[in-house]
Amino acid sequence: MDSIADNIVKLRKQKGWSQEELAEQAKISLRTLQRIESKTHKPRGKTVSLIGIALECDFHEIASQQQKKAQSFSVKFINYFFLIIANLILVAIAGFTTIDADANLNSKIAGVLLSIFIPLCIVQLTLKMPPTERLLKFGLGYFIYFVSVFSIAGFVTGFTSGLFVCLLISLTLLYFGQQVLNKKTRYFNEYN
């Protein structure tokens, strides 16, 4: 990522100007320009504006783009952290209602119902997201959970507990949920 100082040096050299010529054109001191270019001094807004006018470039836009890039990294980190937590919660719900040692028929039915309603809520909240992206973001935990239960407890335990059925329902609805919601909406619009 280029800094403002790197961009100033690059544009100054493209114009074929020395530091003295740019300082004179921008009406700033030579020492200030030298400090900016050597990255020992962060320029103020007015100084950046004067250099930008001299070089016929908008450095405020460059500075704001760099700030957006830095913010976008933190936003991405928060988003991925949230997705990891969301996947863990979804997997915990599926596991707690089905494969838990105390799970009875009522909790298994609750697991199936939650396996329907939670993915449909996720689909409703992410209608603009492509199905594959939704499946990767919210279904990856389900898939990892399936593989780990399959390898640790075995297929029979996962199937008889109802866990695999719940995971399959959830993954299917995460992918095809938008189509299900569209059919439901058309059905209600026809009869109302």
Side-chain angles (χ1 to χ4, degrees), residues 112-131:
V112 170
L113 291 174
L114 289 172
S115 296
I116 294 170
F117 291 120
I118 291 175
L120 286 178
C121 288
I122 291 171
V123 169
Q124 183 67 38
L125 294 171
T126 59
L127 285 173
K128 294 183 180 179
M129 188 180 290

Side-chain angles (χ1 to χ4, degrees), residues 74-146:
S74 61
V75 168
K76 283 182 182 179
F77 176 77
I78 291 169
N79 285 340
Y80 286 121
F81 181 74
F82 168 75
L83 284 173
I84 291 169
I85 297 299
N87 273 289
L88 289 174
I89 290 170
L90 293 173
V91 165
I93 290 170
F96 181 73
T97 57
T98 56
I99 204 163
D100 186 36
D102 295 331
N104 57 21
L105 182 60
N106 290 338
S107 62
K108 290 179 184 185
I109 291 172
V112 170
L113 291 174
L114 289 172
S115 296
I116 294 170
F117 291 120
I118 291 175
L120 286 178
C121 288
I122 291 171
V123 169
Q124 183 67 38
L125 294 171
T126 59
L127 285 173
K128 294 183 180 179
M129 188 180 290
T132 308
E133 182 181 354
R134 186 182 310 114
L135 185 64
L136 287 173
K137 285 186 174 180
F138 296 99
L140 189 61
Y142 288 134
F143 182 73
I144 292 170
Y145 194 46
F146 172 83

Side-chain angles (χ1 to χ4, degrees), residues 50-85:
L50 291 171
I51 294 171
I53 291 168
L55 292 172
E56 299 168 349
C57 178
D58 186 9
F59 281 105
H60 289 292
E61 184 178 315
I62 293 170
S64 68
Q65 286 175 353
Q66 288 178 337
Q67 189 176 19
K68 285 179 186 176
K69 285 180 183 178
Q71 287 176 347
S72 69
F73 174 76
S74 61
V75 168
K76 283 182 182 179
F77 176 77
I78 291 169
N79 285 340
Y80 286 121
F81 181 74
F82 168 75
L83 284 173
I84 291 169
I85 297 299

